[in-house]
Amino acid sequence: MQTDIAHRFRPFGASIFAEMTALAVRHEAVNLAQGFPDFDGPPTAKDAAARAMHEGHNQYARMIGVPVLNRAIAASWARSGRGEVNPEASVTVTNGCSEAIPATILGLLNPGDEVVVFEPFFDFYVTAIAMAGAIPKFVTLRPPTDERGAWWFEPGELRAAIGPRTRAIIVNTPHNPTGKVYTRDELERIAAECIRHGLVAITDEVYEHLTFEPTLPHISLATLPGMWERTITLSSLGKTFSLTGWKIGWAIAPEHLSRVVRAAHQYLTFCAATPLQHGAAAVLDAPGTYAAELRRLFIENRDALSAALSRAGLRVYPSHSTYFVMADHTPLRFADDRAFCYYLTERVGVAAIPPSVFYGTPGLGRDLVRFAFCKKRETIAEAIGRLGTLARG
Ligand code: GLN
């Protein structure tokens, strides 16, 4: 018997992360495709989660999050200079940012509403928009034109994407997959459009602590004048503390927008895992130097991998943040990004992501490939060794 998948999911096919990880496992390739670390998170988090489990914190958590975690998230936001937020009214704990995305979009949008999305995008935005019956309008980030440049967008394209049905805009900074950090200038432009057109801004800031350039610090759109009351800021624990499997995320928003997120969150998952929320609270309250050490490792990995990719003949774009680097594979003359990624995984033994799935405009992304460098030094060294065979053809 063959059962049809609902129309809303048909255009998307299988998740590229599941597909490429399965291919990597099958071919024993070094998995630089799906972005997750191959090392563990800090003991502060794990010990506190285990303790919570033994101390009987094993039933449903409060729908909006266990109080200690709501407080820890609000305190961490305040410590980074972004202002005081009310942990009860303004913080909602979710099952990773990956649940916060559909909770926000399903809670906010009606069928036919339009949402501005920068492409390339993390694919969850567009699938969540489809679940809501809403319509994405794309603004293309263009690759840097020189060695030191950043991905950029045409302000006119942003203005043109906004129409009478536009309700929201999604801004992912630091940006997956390009490693772009939106500048204050760019965020001010976006804020001006939000204010002019009465849009809600949804920001995904899960890589907020993984920026590598002192001249390009992370800025939360919610901190710009006039933006707090119209912004839902999403983030999570996983990237900062190498705990991607814990799926602890959150939304920070003024009360009227927290209501929107909670309206959907309560019926999607109701709450995130209780003991892990206690672990998350402990590490957010005592983060130590974990993130700083991670940044050091990732900068080394980025530099080593980028150099190896250049030696192999790819044109590598600078990555200023996250744990991804994008490159143009066209000098190697493969048909497209999927052909290149399959060859690389099956024949060279290094898995990567074909970025065309991160574009809404047909044809874009076919020249590109995304690598994750959130791995042990040894893992990156092994990948670099294997990439040598690519260079020799
Ligand atoms: N955020 C991760 C990435 O971009 C993957 C998330 C997932 O597997 N769904 O690689």
Side-chain angles (χ1 to χ4, degrees):
M1 187 176 138
Q2 184 67 34
T3 304
D4 283 344
I5 296 168
H7 295 172
R8 68 176 72 84
F9 285 112
R10 268 191 224 161
F12 304 114
S15 154
I16 197 66
F17 304 113
E19 177 183 344
M20 295 314 293
T21 288
L23 193 72
V25 170
R26 199 150 65 243
H27 293 277
E28 294 181 11
V30 180
N31 189 357
L32 306 186
Q34 192 177 21
F36 61 90
D38 60 351
F39 48 84
D40 218 349
T44 321
K46 292 183 292 180
D47 292 347
R51 215 167 32 247
M53 215 177 273
H54 290 297
E55 286 172 356
H57 294 292
N58 297 302
Q59 308 310 327
Y60 298 129
R62 188 172 63 156
M63 185 271 282
I64 66 166
V66 301
V68 284
L69 179 53
N70 291 60
R71 284 200 293 274
I73 292 165
S76 153
W77 176 268
R79 266 201 314 277
S80 59
R82 289 180 277 192
E84 298 291 324
V85 295
N86 179 326
E88 302 294 296
S90 289
V91 178
T92 307
V93 176
T94 58
N95 283 262
C97 187
S98 14
E99 189 228 340
I101 293 164
T104 300
I105 287 172
L106 290 169
L108 182 70
L109 298 174
N110 290 307
D113 286 348
E114 293 179 0
V115 192
V116 176
V117 181
F118 291 90
E119 61 180 2
F121 46 75
F122 180 52
D123 55 356
F124 275 45
Y125 311 141
V126 175
T127 49
I129 290 168
M131 287 186 227
I135 300 156
K137 292 284 168 182
F138 301 108
V139 176
T140 308
L141 294 172
R142 312 276 169 192
T145 44
D146 63 73
E147 300 276 282
R148 299 167 47 77
W151 292 70
W152 56 282
F153 62 92
E154 197 69 73
E157 252 190 62
L158 171 62
R159 283 193 298 275
I162 301 170
R165 307 202 65 172
T166 312
R167 284 286 311 283
I169 180 164
I170 300 180
V171 181
N172 169 213
T173 186
H175 183 258
N176 173 11
T178 64
K180 169 185 176 60
V181 183
Y182 281 71
T183 62
R184 186 169 293 278
D185 238 36
E186 290 171 325
L187 293 172
E188 279 171 356
R189 261 182 219 287
I190 293 168
E193 297 302 331
C194 289
I195 291 165
R196 184 170 310 128
H197 299 280
L199 311 184
V200 173
I202 302 166
T203 70
D204 173 349
E205 306 185 10
V206 296
Y207 300 97
E208 60 187 311
H209 297 291
L210 299 180
T211 60
F212 309 135
E213 305 297 325
T215 54
L216 283 170
H218 170 62
I219 300 167
S220 286
L221 186 58
T223 62
L224 268 58
M227 288 308 289
W228 163 253
E229 58 264 33
R230 57 178 72 254
T231 304
I232 303 173
T233 305
L234 310 182
S235 194
S236 77
L237 193 75
K239 315 298 192 274
T240 309
F241 296 106
S242 310
L243 295 167
T244 60
W246 280 29
K247 305 299 290 180
I248 298 290
W250 53 82
I252 298 179
E255 193 162 6
H256 69 106
L257 290 174
S258 291
R259 268 182 62 239
V260 158
V261 177
R262 292 169 184 183
H265 163 69
Q266 63 185 339
Y267 293 117
L268 284 172
T269 60
F270 187 77
C271 63
T274 307
L276 301 184
Q277 292 197 47
H278 285 276
V283 76
L284 282 174
D285 281 338
T289 55
Y290 192 86
E293 284 159 33
L294 209 55
R295 278 193 294 275
R296 261 198 300 280
L297 170 67
F298 288 173
I299 289 170
E300 279 180 32
N301 285 353
R302 174 198 65 179
D303 293 347
L305 181 64
S306 300
L309 293 169
S310 297
R311 283 196 301 276
L314 288 87
R315 173 153 187 246
V316 183
Y317 294 118
S319 164
H320 299 139
S321 64
T322 72
Y323 40 53
F324 304 113
V325 59
M326 290 267 263
D328 180 337
H329 62 77
T330 49
L332 301 180
R333 308 203 166 279
F334 284 82
D336 61 16
D337 56 333
R338 285 187 71 84
F340 179 63
C341 286
Y342 267 76
Y343 178 87
L344 200 63
T345 308
E346 294 174 348
R347 307 286 289 278
V348 179
V350 177
I353 293 282
S356 51
V357 294
F358 300 148
Y359 285 86
T361 305
L364 292 184
R366 292 163 56 102
D367 295 352
L368 300 171
V369 53
R370 187 198 81 171
F371 295 88
F373 51 79
C374 47
K375 305 290 173 186
K376 293 177 194 147
R377 271 187 199 85
E378 307 87 271
T379 311
I380 296 295
E382 175 64 31
I384 290 172
R386 294 180 183 200
L387 285 167
T389 63
L390 180 66
R392 286 190 295 276

